[in-house]
Amino acid sequence: MSKDVKQPSRRKFLKGAAVGTTAAVAAVPYLAQAQTVLKVQAAWGGGIFLEFAQDYVNKVNEMSGGSLKIDLLAVNSVVKTAEMQTAVHKGVLDGAHLVTAYWYSKSPAASLFGTGPCFGWNANQLLGWIKYGGGNELYYELMDALKLDLVGFFNSPMPAQPLGWFKERINDSSQMKGLKYRTVGLAADVLQEMGMSVVQLPGGEIQPAMKSGLIDAAEFNNPTSDKDFGMQDVSKHYHLGSFHQSQEAFEVIYNKSLFNKLSAEHQKILEYASEAASTDFTWKYQDRYSNDLISLQDEYGVNVYKTPDSVMQDQLNAWDVVSARIAEGDPFFARVIESQMAWAKRVVRYELLNAPNYAGAYEHYFGSLT
C-alpha cells in the first residue's frame, strides 16, 4: 500500500458505518407491527350520540399509535340494539357503545347504573359512585350473576334529560295522566306509576310516532338530538328538567375473554380513552346543546319551559314506590340502592352546601332564565 494513502481512524470508520447503516435502514420499507382491530357497534344511527361514540374511538386509535384500531359500526349494522350486549358476550361483536337502559330487561338493577332514582345527585356524581363508591364492584357482581363475559367502562355524564315534548304546555302533574308517552328503562315504570301509558321506542321512531298520533308526548335526551329528530315539527312545547332520567352515562363494553388477551397497554388505552372522552363530552355538550336550544326557540318557534314542581314531586313519589316494589323481591337491587343512597347522602350534601346560588348570579347579569 502506498505511503501516501492514509489509513482511516477507527472513530471515522465507525462514524461512516453508522451513516451507511442509517441510509440502508431508511431505504428499507417500514414494517408496521401487527395491528389489533376491534369491531364495535354503536346504538346510534347518527347525530351527536354517534359523534360522541366516534370521539371515543378516535382517542383509542390515536393513543395507540396505530397498533390498536376500533372500527365503529352504526346501529343495526350487525345486530339490533336490544341484542348488542348478548352479541358482545358471545363474541359476535368485539364491543358496543350504548347505555344500560337498553339491556335492563335482563335485570332491573342494570337501570340503576344509568337511569335510576334521583337522590339529588347528577350524572357526574353517579360516575363518582361507580369509580370510588363501590359501583364498579357491584357492576361486575351483576355481570357474574348474569354469566356475561363482559368488561365495561362508563363515561360522559349526561345532563338531566328533559321531560320532553307535549302537544300543550304542562302546568300541573294531573295533565300527564293517561297520556301515551315514550321513555326507556325504569323510567317507564315511574311514568306508568304516575298514570301515563308508556311506549318504549328507539330514538329514530319517536318523531314519526308522535306525528302519527301513536304517542302524545316523548323524551329522548337533549336539545341537539331532539332537533336532529325533528321534534320541533310535531310539537312546540318543550319541557326541560326531570327526575325520570336525571343521571345517565354511556357504557362501552367489550368481550372479556378478548379483552384479557390484549396487551396491558391496549387494555389501559381502552380504559383511559373512556375517561378522556368523558371529559371532552362535558365540554362539547355545553356548546352544542345550548346553541341548539336557542335555535329551537329562535328559528322554529319552540316554547321552552321549566318542568313544574308538581310533576317533579310526583316523579320522586313514583320512584319511591317503584324502587321499593322491585327491591322487595330483588336483594341485589336493594343492595345497589343502599350503596347509591350512602354515596349520595355524603357527596351531594357537600356539593349542595358548597354551591353558591348560580341561578341568582345568572339572573343578576342576564335576566330571567325563562
Side-chain angles (χ1 to χ4, degrees):
M1 184 176 290
S2 169
K3 295 180 180 179
D4 296 331
V5 178
K6 295 183 178 180
Q7 296 292 326
S9 69
R10 176 177 172 81
R11 178 177 297 176
K12 288 183 178 180
F13 175 79
L14 292 175
K15 181 178 180 182
V19 172
T21 301
T22 302
V25 171
V28 176
Y30 172 69
L31 299 177
Q33 60 179 306
Q35 185 183 65
T36 299
V37 180
L38 303 178
K39 300 294 184 180
V40 175
Q41 182 174 309
W44 331 112
I48 197 167
F49 273 23
L50 186 61
E51 186 178 329
F52 287 138
Q54 187 65 56
D55 288 341
Y56 167 71
V57 167
N58 291 344
K59 286 174 172 55
V60 170
N61 295 347
E62 291 166 7
M63 290 168 69
S64 74
S67 62
L68 176 65
K69 181 177 184 292
I70 292 180
D71 281 345
L72 184 64
L73 310 175
V75 66
N76 300 332
S77 295
V78 179
V79 297
K80 298 294 185 182
T81 300
E83 302 166 356
M84 286 170 58
Q85 189 201 53
T86 300
V88 177
H89 160 70
K90 292 182 176 180
V92 176
L93 289 167
D94 298 324
H97 187 282
L98 68 168
V99 291
T100 60
Y102 287 173
W103 58 272
Y104 95 106
S105 59
K106 291 185 173 67
S107 169
S111 199
L112 299 179
F113 292 87
T115 53
C118 180
F119 309 117
W121 62 349
N122 58 36
N124 198 41
Q125 291 154 356
L126 168 73
L127 291 185
W129 168 74
I130 291 174
K131 183 76 173 179
Y132 294 108
N136 202 51
E137 291 78 6
L138 288 165
Y139 173 75
Y140 282 108
E141 185 176 335
L142 178 60
M143 295 300 100
D144 290 343
L146 296 174
K147 294 181 170 55
L148 293 172
D149 190 30
L150 299 175
V151 59
F153 306 112
F154 289 87
N155 66 68
S156 306
M158 300 179 191
Q161 296 182 24
L163 182 66
W165 301 81
F166 292 77
K167 293 181 179 179
E168 61 180 12
R169 181 176 182 177
I170 299 298
N171 294 297
D172 186 79
S173 182
S174 61
Q175 292 174 258
M176 298 176 64
K177 296 186 186 303
L179 294 181
K180 292 175 289 185
Y181 180 85
R182 181 271 176 192
T183 190
V184 295
L186 277 178
D189 299 75
V190 170
L191 276 300
Q192 285 175 339
E193 183 66 29
M194 291 177 62
M196 303 186 81
S197 175
V198 179
V199 179
Q200 302 202 41
L201 296 171
E205 297 180 19
I206 299 173
Q207 197 262 20
M210 194 161 176
K211 187 175 183 179
S212 68
L214 177 64
I215 55 177
D216 302 310
E219 61 80 36
F220 179 69
N221 188 277
N222 63 80
T224 299
S225 296
D226 290 351
K227 179 172 173 284
D228 289 344
F229 286 145
M231 296 303 295
Q232 65 275 11
D233 298 329
V234 294
S235 170
K236 299 298 181 184
H237 302 286
Y238 192 29
H239 295 72
L240 297 183
S242 181
F243 286 141
H244 78 287
Q245 287 181 286
S246 59
Q247 68 285 324
E248 188 171 23
F250 290 129
E251 178 192 22
V252 184
I253 57 174
Y254 294 97
N255 178 275
K256 187 176 181 179
S257 296
L258 172 63
F259 182 85
N260 287 340
K261 293 176 183 177
L262 298 176
S263 68
E265 179 183 18
H266 284 172
Q267 290 177 358
K268 286 302 180 184
I269 286 173
L270 293 175
E271 178 183 357
Y272 293 156
S274 176
E275 294 182 1
S278 191
T279 300
D280 188 49
F281 167 91
T282 63
W283 298 332
K284 178 178 281 190
Y285 88 66
Q286 292 173 33
D287 178 45
R288 300 284 286 279
Y289 293 3
S290 61
N291 271 325
D292 283 319
L293 181 63
I294 292 172
S295 175
L296 287 169
Q297 293 176 280
D298 293 351
E299 297 178 36
Y300 297 96
V302 171
N303 301 301
V304 176
Y305 318 107
K306 284 285 291 181
T307 297
D309 289 342
S310 62
V311 173
M312 308 281 272
Q313 185 59 55
D314 281 353
Q315 286 178 337
L316 293 177
N317 295 338
W319 268 120
D320 291 343
V321 173
V322 170
S323 298
R325 182 169 64 229
I326 298 174
E328 185 176 359
D330 187 336
F332 180 76
F333 184 96
R335 284 176 52 215
V336 176
I337 289 286
E338 182 181 6
S339 176
Q340 290 182 335
M341 291 186 73
W343 176 263
K345 184 177 181 180
R346 172 167 58 90
V347 173
V348 177
R349 177 178 181 271
Y350 161 72
E351 295 278 6
L352 293 176
L353 284 173
N354 188 61
N357 182 4
Y358 287 115
Y362 181 94
E363 293 186 341
H364 174 79
Y365 289 103
F366 308 115
S368 174
L369 284 168
T370 56

